[in-house]
């Protein structure tokens, strides 16, 4: 099992290049960064974690820009979105960003995606909360055609375009792994239907190891080989016993949290995680 980390790439935090090089030097497998294009000040949508929305949510860099800097400074570190808010992104523009980053990084990109929770944020982009997952599905399918076909077209209810040329194509074939976040049965069906991996969060009574069998059973019932679907646990507990359980259950990757702290404190956290890499 690989060990990666996720970090909100904020304008007041550690430089993303220093963080990426520190991770690679210490032997971490991957770096994932979340996305929020902005945060509406109305704050009508409650924070799912409870309480006040942490400062970092409104201070994040664009994920593709900061991951490009990280890619240029490293050679082996895998680089991912965790997660990219697909209902808030134009599929043609996003497909080009994904393909460009994957090609220029030498095929090191992981495309973590999700539907989002902030109603006002997605509405500012013209998306609707009650149709966000339908929109996400069509945009992902449309991006797949842009990545894999010389003359790509897609005709859906919410996404529709005639044949186009879109280059570059990704280095990874047929495209970078698409990892879908979420913990519901609906999420699992979406993973099996049009994604390459599952990106769940533990906690709040949700047992990852127990739920893995649900994913595998669902894949078999839908005619897909469960072995073709990866599992990356987002915000995995930084505890040896829990990670050993994940390894025994054939989880592919555990993604540990880097806190919203100073540069020196973050580097100490990384050093504290080192015993978990073995």
């Amino acid at each position: 099992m690989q060990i990666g980390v996720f970090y909100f790439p904020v304008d007041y935090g550690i430089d993303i290049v220093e963080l990426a090089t520190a991770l690679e030097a210490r032997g971490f497998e991957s770096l994932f960064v979340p996305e929020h294009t902005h945060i509406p000040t109305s704050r009508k949508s409650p924070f799912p974690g409870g309480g006040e929305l942490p400062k970092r949510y409104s201070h994040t860099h664009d994920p593709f820009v900061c991951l490009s800097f990280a890619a240029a400074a490293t050679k082996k570190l895998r680089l991912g979105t965790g997660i990219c808010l697909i209902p808030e992104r134009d599929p043609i523009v996003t497909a080009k960003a994904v393909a460009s980053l994957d090609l220029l990084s030498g095929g090191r990109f992981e495309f973590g995606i999700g539907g989002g929770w902030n109603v006002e944020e997605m509405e500012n982009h013209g998306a609707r909360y009650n149709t966000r997952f339908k929109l996400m599905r069509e945009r992902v399918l449309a991006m797949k055609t842009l990545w894999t076909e010389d003359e790509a077209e897609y005709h859906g209810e919410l996404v529709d375009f005639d044949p186009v040329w879109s280059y570059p194509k990704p280095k990874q074939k047929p495209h970078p792994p698409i990892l879908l976040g979420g913990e519901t049965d609906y999420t699992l069906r979406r993973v099996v239907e049009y994604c390459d991996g599952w990106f769940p969060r533990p906690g709040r009574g949700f047992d990852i190891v127990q739920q893995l069998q649900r994913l595998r059973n669902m894949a078999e019932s839908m005619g897909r080989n469960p072995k073709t679907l990866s599992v990356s646990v987002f915000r995995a507990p930084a505890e040896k016993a829990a990670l050993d359980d994940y390894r025994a259950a054939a989880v592919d990757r555990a993604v540990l949290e880097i806190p919203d702290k100073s540069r020196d404190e973050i580097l100490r956290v990384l050093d504290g995680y080192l015993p978990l890499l073995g």
Side-chain angles (χ1 to χ4, degrees):
M1 183 177 72
Q2 302 290 345
I3 303 293
V5 303
F6 78 91
Y7 174 65
F8 277 77
V10 293
D11 55 356
Y12 57 83
I14 188 172
D15 181 89
I16 196 70
V17 169
E18 183 175 12
L19 176 59
T21 54
L23 289 168
E24 186 163 84
R26 287 165 172 77
F28 289 88
E29 180 257 355
S30 53
L31 167 63
F32 288 83
V33 298
E35 172 180 45
H36 282 280
T37 59
H38 66 295
I39 296 294
T41 60
S42 68
R43 300 301 307 115
K44 293 179 182 178
S45 293
F47 177 45
E52 293 296 320
L53 184 73
K55 176 183 176 181
R56 60 182 179 268
Y57 278 77
S58 57
H59 283 259
T60 57
H61 292 302
D62 177 89
F64 291 99
V65 173
C66 72
L67 289 176
S68 296
F69 275 79
T74 56
K75 294 182 178 179
K76 296 181 180 180
L77 190 70
R78 292 196 68 80
L79 307 154
T81 48
I83 56 174
C84 180
L85 297 170
I86 300 303
E88 301 181 11
R89 283 189 161 269
D90 177 273
I92 296 174
V93 174
T94 304
K96 183 176 284 286
V98 168
S100 299
L101 178 54
D102 191 60
L103 182 63
L104 293 171
S105 69
R108 291 187 280 143
F109 183 61
E110 303 266 336
F111 195 26
I113 67 168
W117 57 269
N118 192 312
V119 177
E120 298 76 51
E121 181 182 350
M122 63 184 71
E123 286 180 346
N124 289 167
H125 289 279
R128 296 175 57 192
Y129 186 80
N130 62 343
T131 57
R132 70 194 188 283
F133 290 116
K134 181 177 183 179
L135 179 62
M136 180 176 70
R137 176 184 177 274
E138 289 196 10
R139 287 183 172 175
V140 170
L141 295 178
M143 286 189 283
K144 285 186 175 186
T145 68
L146 293 164
W147 292 326
T148 59
E149 298 178 14
D150 289 331
E151 294 188 1
E153 63 182 298
Y154 185 83
H155 303 287
E157 292 183 43
L158 302 175
V159 179
D160 184 41
F161 55 85
D162 290 329
V164 301
W165 294 312
S166 178
Y167 292 91
K169 302 300 184 187
K171 181 169 180 66
Q172 296 179 88
K173 303 302 180 188
H175 51 72
I178 301 171
L179 316 178
L180 178 59
E183 294 78 41
T184 68
D185 280 343
Y186 296 109
T187 299
L188 298 184
R189 291 189 186 96
R190 294 175 186 124
V191 168
V192 174
E193 181 192 357
Y194 60 86
C195 297
D196 306 295
W198 186 32
F199 212 0
R201 300 161 296 181
R204 291 178 286 185
F206 185 83
D207 189 305
I208 298 293
V209 173
Q210 291 181 1
Q211 301 307 321
L212 274 173
Q213 193 57 48
R214 287 171 59 219
L215 174 66
R216 291 162 182 161
N217 291 343
M218 192 171 293
E220 290 177 349
S221 70
M222 294 173 65
R224 184 163 182 183
N225 183 350
K227 294 181 179 179
T228 65
L229 298 171
S230 69
V231 177
S232 300
V233 179
F234 186 82
R235 195 179 276 115
E239 302 167 1
K240 184 178 184 302
L243 297 182
D244 285 345
D245 288 343
Y246 290 165
R247 288 188 179 94
V251 167
D252 298 279
R253 176 190 291 118
V255 182
L256 309 179
E257 182 176 13
I258 296 179
D260 188 21
K261 295 185 176 181
S262 70
R263 168 197 176 274
D264 291 345
E265 289 174 303
I266 286 172
L267 294 177
R268 285 195 290 271
V269 168
L270 296 186
D271 289 337
Y273 285 162
L274 290 179
L276 302 174
L277 298 185

